[in-house]
Amino acid sequence: MFDLKLHYGNSYLENSMFFCIFINNEWHTSIKGKKFPTINPATGVKICDVEEADKADVDEAVRAARAAGQRGSEWRQMDASSRGRLLHRLADLLERERAVLATLESMDTGKPFLHAFFVDLDGSIKTLRYYAGWTDKIHGKTMPVDENFVCFTKHEPVGVCGAIIPWNFPLLMFMWKIAPALACGNTVVIKPAEQTPLTALHTGALIKEAGFPPGVVNIVPGFGPTAGAAIGSHMNIDKVAFTGSTEVGQLIKAAAAKSNLKRVTLELGGKNPCIVFADSDLQSAVEETQKGAFFNQGQACTAASRVYVEEAVYDEFLRLSVERAKNIAIGDPLEPRTSHGPQINQHQFDKILELVASGKKEGATLECGGCAVEDRGLFIHPTIFSDVKDHMRIAKEEIFGPVQCIMKFKTQEEVIDRANGTQYGLTAAVFTRDIHRAMSVSAALEAGTVWVNCYNALHAQAPFGGYKMSGNGRELGEYALAEYTEVKAITLKLSERLTL
Amino acid sequence: NIFINNEWHDSVSGKVFSTYNPATGEKICDVQEADKADVDKAVQAARSAFSLDSVWRKMDASERGKLLFKLADLVERDRAYLATLESLDTGKPFLSSFFVDLQGTIKTFRYFAGWADKIHGSTIPTDGEYFTLTRHEPIGVCGQIVPWNFPLVMTAWKLGPALSCGNTVVLKPAEQTPLTCLYIGALIREAGFPPGVVNILPGYGPTAGAAIASHMGIDKVAFTGSTEVGKLIQEAAGKSNLKRVTLELGGKSPNIIFADADFELAVEQAHQGVFFNNGQCCTAGSRIFVEEPIYDEFVRRSVERARRRTVGNPFDPTAEQGPQVSVEQQRRVLELIQSGITEGAKLECGGKAPLSKGFFVEPTVFSDVQDHMRIAKEEIFGPVQQIMKFKTIEEVIERANNTEYGLAAAVFTTDLNKAMTVSAALQAGTVWINCYNALSCQCPFGGFKMSGNGRELGEIGLKEYTEVKTITMKMSGKKS
């Protein structure tokens, strides 16, 4: 556990520097004078107040980002390889501040400290280093066109990129957005979620320390309907990247169209199916699917909330899953033995329990959990339902809580249809030892990521994103670069044709 | 010493050789001399480090990248020391070593560090009930032979892509300049590369170099040096085990100056293009074709510039030019200068060895050079500039291409049309427009014709260090 007071002295929490709006490498108070509190969901206690950005602050940030990205600006004149050096430096600074950031993240989100330290911080640092390596490798092409022309493309930055990120992996999502954006030479206006602004703001200080020119990254903490909407419909933002619910994703896309046709990428919800065949390593399948369902208290777009188990192994799978779920260590997120913390806030807490109630009402069998932890605020017991039918709300709606639905299936064709029977399509998993089955089922599933004999295996090098209403576009890997560049084709006319 | 398995070894034979400071002719030190037996040891170490269950093979690709970044950081840390060592061993001006060679080395390691976890294969929609994907695997044990003109940079150009792609290496620095390369051995160990991944064998071409080229246990050889030796290497590769070969060889690069060029720029760039690094560059722009209307003035200004070129001690910050690397090289350059005089070119300035100590040659300019003369055809590798006259575009393109070489070329013009058409017509791996020697690790570099095979640097440089494996799986039933 990391004691902020010991590290920074008593002044840390009183020092308002990292609780302000970050524009042009400076800390600003909100133009309207508004603040909002951020709460520790494990205790219900306010951590601090944060300056609240609204439309006027977003306008300031966009002005700064636009100026920082102008032709002739320091950022635009910089060698591509130098952009990479800055991203590396930022990764080094994250490493230096790893314990502080993990503590802040744990306090702000309720996720266990060890998860924040080993998963969120690890992913954040690796994502930065991965994209640092791309900056001077963003290639256009030359192409053999007809007649006497020379034609080549340049992959230019899109411009000012708005980013709106969620509260479930605040720092990691921050890096998933800024790393490719900056690698491609864009400037950024990023709004962290109102529930979890702290690690984003701390990173602002590191961005300045790393040496990014002023205005390249601007951070505007605030609420969706105000600051978020201002970004979505801004006439001077060239692209918006949003991670959050499908419902809000649709609003953003519509706002983008209505305003200036800004480019849109969306990472939205999921109702991700796992398919466990009788020939799988059952113990491993139980572990992986459960990690998939309960990791981060079920608050993951990749949450494995539907598990289809082949009839022959259904009972055993259920038994092993329930046994395992009962042994999950619930406790204080800052405690090293804890692997299950609270839900993020009352709203989410209520929504989850409402869906649990619907499960009971609609006739699913509650195997374990299904209720709040006594005397413990926003904590909910890991919950397993069996005998779930595809029409039930718990089988169709994204729960975003620690609830796993286990269903039975007979044949491969049937389960593929049932797995695909959703408007979502973010991730899926197949558990089998048979090579043919692994290949054919993964080919058939309508999901942006299909895991075979694993779950939540995410890597900065591999693309991630949704089919259907789970999103538009891809993040990570080389693929993200396409979302953050604008292709310009330059065609020169010559007096004669060139020999090819 | 010889560097094998992250340890320092004496030569198996007990032989040592000396390395000299070409500015003074004095010995710097003795170095253990590797021969075939040492190469065998190194290959064994490299092979072992490459085995399927080795630390190096099991390492995440991103970890390989981290090691290369660490190496770059260490080179940066020791930049002043390495630049000093490089200048002592090669005779190149210290400021060049520090600002050009060391910068190029650091940037190259960092560039290839970034590629390590981005080496992509493909999935391919093949016909029939199959699923196909490709893997871009490391080739295996790579032999690398680097020259004496840019010892450290050439080491980075070789190690960067080889290690990024997951290979292991047996590297032989030139016998004239082993010191900075051996120092890199220490940094490789410090950075944390597993033992056997990089092995460094100082020694001679006919012994250690030949042993590498014809070794049955080496999967690929990369050579930078003369065309003459490049041919021997390729032949040996064919005769032994068909090891893959990449070659970066000599050049007689044409620099074409049109009358509409930015005159001042062209004079200066043409000057630096041939005199940089004491003329010891494979890319030396040693045939300068100047359009008739500006020819006389161009010669006059080039001579004036050459006369102003300061020659002296590499550690004198005002010295633009140091000595040639060895007495053999100095003699060869002087011999070619003599042939220019004999064959009737006009010696405008220079032509002699100015100092009694060290292997210096004066900046030398010839005008009225005819294409048949030796100085117009043979690679001089010294501070000797040839200036020829031309009338038309078609003529100059033909004359520029009339060589077995094809490494680099340049065009100076303000006319867009001329720039695009001439650059398209020149048979050279790199064509510079209104610049010279603008090299960057992001861009591929290599020769047409007898200037080499394959490309180094850029994304395309990775290709030479991977072996493509196609994996095709039968699918049961029709795939979606």
Side-chain angles (χ1 to χ4, degrees):
Chain A
M1 187 173 115
F2 192 83
D3 189 317
L4 286 168
K5 283 208 165 108
L6 265 181
H7 187 84
Y8 283 108
N10 278 323
S11 63
Y12 184 80
L13 289 176
E14 282 97 55
N15 181 343
S16 62
M17 214 175 59
F18 301 163
F19 313 129
C20 291
I21 296 165
F22 183 76
I23 297 176
N24 265 332
N25 283 5
E26 292 159 352
W27 300 100
H28 295 248
T29 51
S30 85
I31 288 171
K32 283 197 176 148
K34 292 192 289 183
K35 290 188 214 275
F36 66 98
T38 185
I39 316 283
N40 178 341
T43 60
V45 173
K46 176 169 90 171
I47 302 172
C48 63
D49 287 318
V50 177
E51 293 292 325
E52 185 188 328
D54 203 326
K55 188 177 181 319
D57 309 278
V58 169
D59 286 342
E60 275 296 308
V62 172
R63 265 192 287 275
R66 178 65 62 199
Q70 289 285 49
R71 268 195 329 276
S73 70
E74 191 187 342
W75 182 237
R76 289 296 295 274
Q77 297 281 75
M78 201 182 276
D79 284 343
S81 57
S82 299
R83 290 204 302 270
R85 301 295 306 134
L86 288 174
L87 283 166
H88 261 293
R89 177 95 183 104
L90 183 59
D92 289 343
L93 292 176
L94 247 78
E95 254 184 45
R96 185 188 75 194
E97 307 273 297
R98 190 171 183 163
V100 175
L101 284 164
T103 306
L104 267 179
E105 193 81 308
S106 187
M107 283 170 65
D108 215 5
T109 63
K111 70 175 72 208
F113 171 81
L114 289 179
H115 290 187
F117 191 89
F118 285 113
V119 178
D120 298 59
L121 263 295
D122 190 64
S124 298
I125 292 161
K126 284 184 163 175
T127 300
L128 279 170
R129 293 207 197 282
Y130 177 77
Y131 282 103
W134 267 121
T135 61
D136 59 355
K137 304 171 178 64
I138 296 169
H139 298 154
K141 300 175 196 284
T142 63
M143 50 270 305
V145 298
D146 290 355
E147 298 175 22
N148 49 324
F149 295 97
V150 164
C151 190
F152 59 90
T153 56
K154 286 175 46 122
H155 287 207
E156 305 191 340
V158 179
V160 176
C161 296
I164 299 168
I165 54 177
W167 46 258
N168 57 349
F169 296 91
L171 191 65
L172 185 61
M173 292 297 103
F174 188 93
M175 297 311 163
W176 281 26
K177 298 286 180 281
I178 70 162
L182 299 178
C184 295
N186 297 286
T187 57
V188 172
V189 174
I190 182 162
K191 186 195 91 59
E194 61 272 23
Q195 298 88 341
T196 55
L198 298 181
T199 45
L201 293 172
H202 190 97
T203 302
L206 301 181
I207 282 167
K208 177 170 165 166
E209 188 183 340
F212 285 88
V216 169
V217 179
N218 307 278
I219 308 170
V220 290
F223 290 80
T226 48
I231 289 172
S233 52
H234 208 282
M235 292 304 286
N236 209 10
I237 284 179
D238 304 297
K239 175 224 163 72
V240 64
F242 170 79
T243 298
S245 69
T246 294
E247 180 193 27
V248 176
Q250 290 180 279
L251 295 174
I252 302 256
K253 190 161 175 167
K258 282 186 173 154
S259 54
N260 66 343
L261 285 174
K262 57 175 65 61
R263 290 91 180 89
V264 179
T265 49
L266 306 169
E267 295 281 350
L268 308 175
K271 190 67 185 174
N272 310 298
C274 291
I275 303 175
V276 180
F277 286 93
D279 70 354
S280 63
D281 174 338
L282 206 66
Q283 185 60 47
S284 172
V286 167
E287 273 172 34
E288 293 289 328
T289 53
Q290 206 158 94
K291 265 171 24 196
F294 298 137
F295 179 63
N296 212 45
Q297 292 77 251
Q299 299 167 140
C301 48
T302 61
S305 47
R306 289 187 289 156
V307 188
Y308 293 94
V309 184
E310 197 172 359
E311 206 171 32
V313 293
Y314 177 85
D315 291 334
E316 180 64 3
F317 183 92
L318 186 57
R319 190 183 70 72
L320 289 169
S321 297
V322 172
E323 193 179 293
R324 197 164 189 284
K326 286 182 170 152
N327 286 317
I328 290 173
I330 303 172
D332 177 353
L334 294 175
E335 254 278 333
R337 285 169 300 179
T338 301
S339 56
H340 186 87
Q343 306 311 123
I344 187 71
N345 60 20
Q346 192 68 44
H347 174 80
Q348 287 294 320
F349 177 88
D350 291 340
K351 183 163 165 271
I352 295 160
L353 289 180
E354 195 255 320
L355 275 155
V356 168
S358 81
K360 292 176 193 166
K361 186 154 171 284
E362 290 184 313
T365 305
L366 181 67
E367 296 282 347
C368 67
C371 59
V373 176
E374 244 174 54
D375 294 334
R376 254 217 129 118
L378 300 171
F379 288 74
I380 295 178
H381 281 288
T383 300
I384 297 182
F385 279 104
S386 63
D387 297 328
V388 178
K389 302 286 182 280
D390 292 355
H391 67 268
M392 294 177 183
R393 285 184 65 203
I394 52 171
K396 292 170 62 162
E397 294 175 38
E398 190 178 35
I399 302 174
F400 234 63
V403 182
Q404 185 181 47
C405 301
I406 305 188
M407 294 94 132
K408 195 184 294 190
F409 77 90
K410 283 191 162 73
T411 71
Q412 184 169 311
E413 291 69 38
E414 166 213 338
V415 74
I416 287 172
D417 278 340
R418 288 169 68 190
N420 285 339
T422 165
Q423 63 191 193
Y424 291 115
L426 190 57
T427 65
V430 188
F431 293 86
T432 176
R433 284 190 174 93
D434 184 271
I435 187 173
H436 295 293
R437 195 167 278 143
M439 296 310 304
S440 52
V441 175
S442 57
L445 288 168
E446 291 160 3
T449 297
V450 180
W451 286 301
V452 179
N453 295 331
C454 57
Y455 208 88
N456 274 341
L458 286 172
H459 312 277
Q461 299 91 359
F464 178 83
Y467 275 44
K468 305 193 282 191
M469 291 184 80
S470 282
N472 290 167
R474 291 292 175 273
E475 296 195 283
L476 302 184
E478 181 177 13
Y479 295 75
L481 301 175
E483 316 282 10
Y484 283 97
T485 49
E486 196 76 42
V487 178
K488 174 186 288 176
I490 297 173
T491 299
L492 300 164
K493 186 160 156 67
L494 302 178
S495 61
E496 287 171 16
R497 63 179 64 230
L498 283 185
T499 309
L500 289 172
Chain B
N1 287 67
I2 293 166
F3 183 74
I4 297 178
N5 264 334
N6 282 4
E7 292 160 352
W8 300 101
H9 294 247
D10 287 340
S11 70
V12 168
S13 65
K15 289 191 290 184
V16 298
F17 69 100
S18 307
T19 186
Y20 297 87
N21 177 349
T24 61
E26 285 160 13
K27 177 164 91 168
I28 302 172
C29 63
D30 285 325
V31 178
Q32 294 292 317
E33 185 189 329
D35 202 325
K36 188 177 182 315
D38 309 277
V39 171
D40 288 341
K41 273 171 69 177
V43 171
Q44 215 168 29
R47 177 65 56 199
S48 179
F50 189 73
S51 66
L52 265 180
D53 58 357
S54 71
V55 174
W56 184 237
R57 292 299 295 279
K58 295 210 111 86
M59 196 182 280
D60 285 343
S62 56
E63 271 308 300
R64 289 203 306 267
K66 275 185 94 171
L67 288 174
L68 279 165
F69 273 117
K70 182 78 176 126
L71 182 59
D73 287 346
L74 294 176
V75 172
E76 207 168 44
R77 180 192 70 189
D78 296 345
R79 187 173 183 165
Y81 177 74
L82 278 162
T84 306
L85 203 56
E86 193 78 314
S87 279
L88 261 180
D89 215 5
T90 62
K92 67 177 74 207
F94 173 80
L95 290 179
S96 262
S97 287
F98 191 89
F99 285 113
V100 179
D101 296 59
L102 264 295
Q103 176 167 260
T105 300
I106 292 161
K107 282 187 162 179
T108 300
F109 281 134
R110 289 202 171 124
Y111 177 77
F112 283 104
W115 270 123
D117 60 354
K118 303 170 178 67
I119 295 167
H120 297 154
S122 317
T123 64
I124 300 166
T126 41
D127 289 355
E129 290 177 359
Y130 297 99
F131 175 73
T132 297
L133 57 98
T134 59
R135 282 167 47 97
H136 286 209
E137 305 189 341
I139 302 179
V141 176
C142 297
Q144 305 186 314
I145 300 169
V146 300
W148 47 257
N149 57 348
F150 294 92
L152 202 54
V153 179
M154 292 295 104
T155 297
W157 282 28
K158 296 283 181 284
L159 292 181
L163 299 176
S164 188
C165 295
N167 298 284
T168 57
V169 170
V170 174
L171 187 145
K172 187 195 92 61
E175 62 272 22
Q176 297 88 341
T177 56
L179 300 180
T180 46
C181 194
L182 288 170
Y183 189 81
I184 292 290
L187 297 184
I188 278 168
R189 178 172 148 161
E190 189 182 341
F193 284 87
V197 170
V198 179
N199 307 277
I200 304 171
L201 274 55
Y204 288 81
T207 48
I212 287 172
S214 52
H215 208 284
M216 296 301 288
I218 286 180
D219 304 300
K220 176 225 164 70
V221 64
F223 170 79
T224 298
S226 69
T227 294
E228 184 196 338
V229 176
K231 291 168 80 174
L232 295 174
I233 304 253
Q234 190 170 62
E235 196 185 332
K239 282 187 168 155
S240 55
N241 66 343
L242 287 174
K243 56 175 63 62
R244 291 93 181 88
V245 180
T246 48
L247 306 168
E248 296 281 350
L249 309 175
K252 192 66 184 176
S253 303
N255 189 350
I256 302 172
I257 322 276
F258 285 95
D260 66 9
D262 175 334
F263 190 84
E264 299 297 332
L265 177 72
V267 169
E268 183 61 20
Q269 290 290 305
H271 173 84
Q272 298 294 353
V274 73
F275 290 111
F276 177 62
N277 209 45
N278 319 331
Q280 299 166 138
C281 278
C282 47
T283 58
S286 50
R287 290 185 293 153
I288 298 164
F289 293 95
V290 182
E291 200 175 1
E292 197 169 31
I294 57 166
Y295 180 80
D296 291 334
E297 183 63 9
F298 192 94
V299 171
R300 196 182 68 72
R301 297 291 300 281
S302 298
V303 172
E304 192 182 281
R305 180 60 178 95
R307 287 205 169 109
R308 269 189 295 134
R309 190 171 186 82
T310 49
V311 180
N313 178 344
F315 291 96
D316 177 353
T318 62
E320 285 177 281
Q321 182 176 313
Q324 306 315 112
V325 79
S326 66
V327 67
E328 291 83 13
Q329 285 295 316
Q330 184 197 37
R331 274 194 205 121
R332 192 163 158 271
V333 173
L334 291 171
E335 195 251 320
L336 274 154
I337 290 172
Q338 196 48 51
S339 80
I341 296 167
T342 310
E343 289 185 314
K346 179 163 178 224
L347 179 68
E348 296 275 353
C349 69
K352 296 190 296 299
L355 303 167
S356 55
K357 211 168 60 145
F359 315 129
F360 293 83
V361 175
E362 288 176 327
T364 301
V365 181
F366 279 105
S367 64
D368 295 336
V369 178
Q370 305 308 315
D371 291 0
H372 68 268
M373 295 175 182
R374 284 185 66 202
I375 54 171
K377 291 169 64 161
E378 293 176 39
E379 189 177 35
I380 302 175
F381 235 64
V384 187
Q385 185 179 46
Q386 283 65 236
I387 310 183
M388 293 92 133
K389 194 185 296 188
F390 77 91
K391 282 191 163 75
T392 71
I393 292 188
E394 293 71 32
E395 167 211 340
V396 75
I397 287 172
E398 207 189 302
R399 288 170 68 190
N401 284 339
N402 185 22
T403 165
E404 61 193 14
Y405 292 117
L407 189 56
V411 188
F412 283 81
T413 176
T414 49
D415 183 80
L416 175 65
N417 217 48
K418 229 173 253 166
M420 298 311 305
T421 44
V422 175
S423 57
L426 288 169
Q427 292 162 354
T430 297
V431 181
W432 288 300
I433 299 177
N434 294 329
C435 56
Y436 209 91
N437 274 340
L439 283 173
S440 197
C441 51
Q442 298 92 358
C443 310
F445 178 83
F448 277 43
K449 304 193 284 190
M450 291 183 80
S451 281
N453 289 167
R455 292 291 175 273
E456 292 193 288
L457 303 183
E459 180 177 12
I460 222 158
L462 299 173
K463 200 167 76 70
E464 315 285 7
Y465 284 96
T466 51
E467 194 77 43
V468 178
K469 173 185 287 175
T470 299
I471 298 173
T472 294
M473 279 182 265
K474 175 115 168 66
M475 306 282 283
S476 61
K478 185 76 183 142
K479 61 188 191 313
S480 304

CSV table of all heavy atoms in Angstrom, one decimal, chain A residues 168-185:
chain,number,residue,atom,x,y,z
A,168,ASN,N,-14.0,2.5,-15.8
A,168,ASN,CA,-13.6,1.2,-15.4
A,168,ASN,C,-12.1,0.9,-15.4
A,168,ASN,O,-11.6,0.2,-14.6
A,168,ASN,CB,-14.4,0.1,-16.1
A,168,ASN,CG,-14.3,0.2,-17.6
A,168,ASN,OD1,-13.7,1.2,-18.2
A,168,ASN,ND2,-14.7,-0.8,-18.3
A,169,PHE,N,-11.4,1.5,-16.4
A,169,PHE,CA,-10.0,1.4,-16.5
A,169,PHE,C,-9.5,2.8,-16.8
A,169,PHE,O,-8.9,3.0,-17.9
A,169,PHE,CB,-9.6,0.4,-17.5
A,169,PHE,CG,-10.0,-1.0,-17.2
A,169,PHE,CD1,-11.2,-1.5,-17.7
A,169,PHE,CD2,-9.2,-1.9,-16.5
A,169,PHE,CE1,-11.6,-2.8,-17.4
A,169,PHE,CE2,-9.6,-3.2,-16.2
A,169,PHE,CZ,-10.8,-3.6,-16.6
A,170,PRO,N,-9.6,3.7,-15.9
A,170,PRO,CA,-9.4,5.1,-16.3
A,170,PRO,C,-8.0,5.4,-16.9
A,170,PRO,O,-7.9,6.0,-18.0
A,170,PRO,CB,-9.5,5.9,-15.0
A,170,PRO,CG,-10.4,5.0,-14.1
A,170,PRO,CD,-10.0,3.6,-14.5
A,171,LEU,N,-6.9,5.0,-16.3
A,171,LEU,CA,-5.6,5.3,-16.8
A,171,LEU,C,-5.3,4.5,-18.1
A,171,LEU,O,-4.8,5.0,-19.1
A,171,LEU,CB,-4.5,4.9,-15.7
A,171,LEU,CG,-3.1,5.5,-16.1
A,171,LEU,CD1,-3.1,7.0,-16.1
A,171,LEU,CD2,-2.1,4.9,-15.0
A,172,LEU,N,-5.7,3.2,-18.1
A,172,LEU,CA,-5.4,2.4,-19.3
A,172,LEU,C,-6.2,2.9,-20.5
A,172,LEU,O,-5.6,3.0,-21.6
A,172,LEU,CB,-5.9,1.0,-18.9
A,172,LEU,CG,-5.6,-0.1,-20.0
A,172,LEU,CD1,-4.1,-0.2,-20.2
A,172,LEU,CD2,-6.2,-1.5,-19.5
A,173,MET,N,-7.4,3.3,-20.3
A,173,MET,CA,-8.2,3.9,-21.4
A,173,MET,C,-7.6,5.2,-21.8
A,173,MET,O,-7.7,5.5,-23.0
A,173,MET,CB,-9.7,4.1,-21.0
A,173,MET,CG,-10.4,2.7,-20.7
A,173,MET,SD,-10.5,1.7,-22.2
A,173,MET,CE,-9.2,0.5,-21.9
A,174,PHE,N,-7.1,6.0,-20.9
A,174,PHE,CA,-6.4,7.2,-21.2
A,174,PHE,C,-5.3,7.0,-22.2
A,174,PHE,O,-5.1,7.6,-23.2
A,174,PHE,CB,-5.9,7.9,-19.9
A,174,PHE,CG,-5.3,9.2,-20.1
A,174,PHE,CD1,-6.2,10.3,-19.9
A,174,PHE,CD2,-4.0,9.5,-20.4
A,174,PHE,CE1,-5.7,11.6,-20.0
A,174,PHE,CE2,-3.5,10.8,-20.5
A,174,PHE,CZ,-4.3,11.8,-20.3
A,175,MET,N,-4.5,5.9,-21.9
A,175,MET,CA,-3.3,5.6,-22.8
A,175,MET,C,-3.8,5.0,-24.1
A,175,MET,O,-3.2,5.3,-25.1
A,175,MET,CB,-2.4,4.6,-22.0
A,175,MET,CG,-1.7,5.2,-20.8
A,175,MET,SD,-1.0,6.9,-21.1
A,175,MET,CE,-0.9,7.4,-19.4
A,176,TRP,N,-4.8,4.2,-24.1
A,176,TRP,CA,-5.3,3.6,-25.3
A,176,TRP,C,-5.7,4.7,-26.3
A,176,TRP,O,-5.7,4.5,-27.5
A,176,TRP,CB,-6.5,2.7,-25.1
A,176,TRP,CG,-6.2,1.3,-24.6
A,176,TRP,CD1,-5.1,0.9,-23.9
A,176,TRP,CD2,-7.0,0.2,-24.8
A,176,TRP,NE1,-5.2,-0.4,-23.6
A,176,TRP,CE2,-6.4,-0.9,-24.1
A,176,TRP,CE3,-8.2,-0.1,-25.4
A,176,TRP,CZ2,-6.9,-2.2,-24.1
A,176,TRP,CZ3,-8.8,-1.3,-25.4
A,176,TRP,CH2,-8.1,-2.4,-24.7
A,177,LYS,N,-6.1,5.9,-25.7
A,177,LYS,CA,-6.5,7.0,-26.6
A,177,LYS,C,-5.4,7.9,-27.0
A,177,LYS,O,-5.2,8.1,-28.2
A,177,LYS,CB,-7.6,7.8,-25.9
A,177,LYS,CG,-8.9,7.1,-25.6
A,177,LYS,CD,-9.7,6.9,-26.8
A,177,LYS,CE,-11.0,6.2,-26.5
A,177,LYS,NZ,-10.9,4.7,-26.3
A,178,ILE,N,-4.6,8.3,-26.0
A,178,ILE,CA,-3.6,9.3,-26.4
A,178,ILE,C,-2.4,8.7,-27.1
A,178,ILE,O,-1.8,9.3,-27.9
A,178,ILE,CB,-3.1,10.2,-25.2
A,178,ILE,CG1,-2.2,9.4,-24.2
A,178,ILE,CG2,-4.2,10.9,-24.5
A,178,ILE,CD1,-1.4,10.3,-23.3
A,179,ALA,N,-2.1,7.4,-26.8
A,179,ALA,CA,-0.9,6.9,-27.4
A,179,ALA,C,-0.9,6.8,-28.9
A,179,ALA,O,0.0,7.4,-29.6
A,179,ALA,CB,-0.5,5.5,-26.8
A,180,PRO,N,-2.0,6.2,-29.5
A,180,PRO,CA,-2.0,6.2,-31.0
A,180,PRO,C,-2.2,7.6,-31.5
A,180,PRO,O,-1.7,8.0,-32.6
A,180,PRO,CB,-3.1,5.3,-31.3
A,180,PRO,CG,-4.0,5.2,-30.1
A,180,PRO,CD,-3.1,5.4,-28.9
A,181,ALA,N,-3.0,8.4,-30.8
A,181,ALA,CA,-3.3,9.8,-31.3
A,181,ALA,C,-2.0,10.6,-31.4
A,181,ALA,O,-1.7,11.2,-32.4
A,181,ALA,CB,-4.3,10.5,-30.4
A,182,LEU,N,-1.2,10.6,-30.4
A,182,LEU,CA,0.0,11.3,-30.4
A,182,LEU,C,1.1,10.7,-31.3
A,182,LEU,O,1.8,11.4,-32.0
A,182,LEU,CB,0.6,11.4,-28.9
A,182,LEU,CG,-0.3,12.1,-27.9
A,182,LEU,CD1,0.4,12.1,-26.5
A,182,LEU,CD2,-0.6,13.6,-28.3
A,183,ALA,N,1.1,9.4,-31.4
A,183,ALA,CA,2.0,8.7,-32.3
A,183,ALA,C,1.8,9.2,-33.7
A,183,ALA,O,2.8,9.4,-34.4
A,183,ALA,CB,1.8,7.2,-32.2
A,184,CYS,N,0.6,9.5,-34.1
A,184,CYS,CA,0.3,9.9,-35.4
A,184,CYS,C,0.4,11.4,-35.6
A,184,CYS,O,0.1,12.0,-36.6
A,184,CYS,CB,-1.1,9.5,-35.9
A,184,CYS,SG,-1.2,7.7,-36.0
A,185,GLY,N,0.7,12.1,-34.5
A,185,GLY,CA,1.0,13.6,-34.6
A,185,GLY,C,-0.2,14.5,-34.4
A,185,GLY,O,-0.2,15.6,-34.7
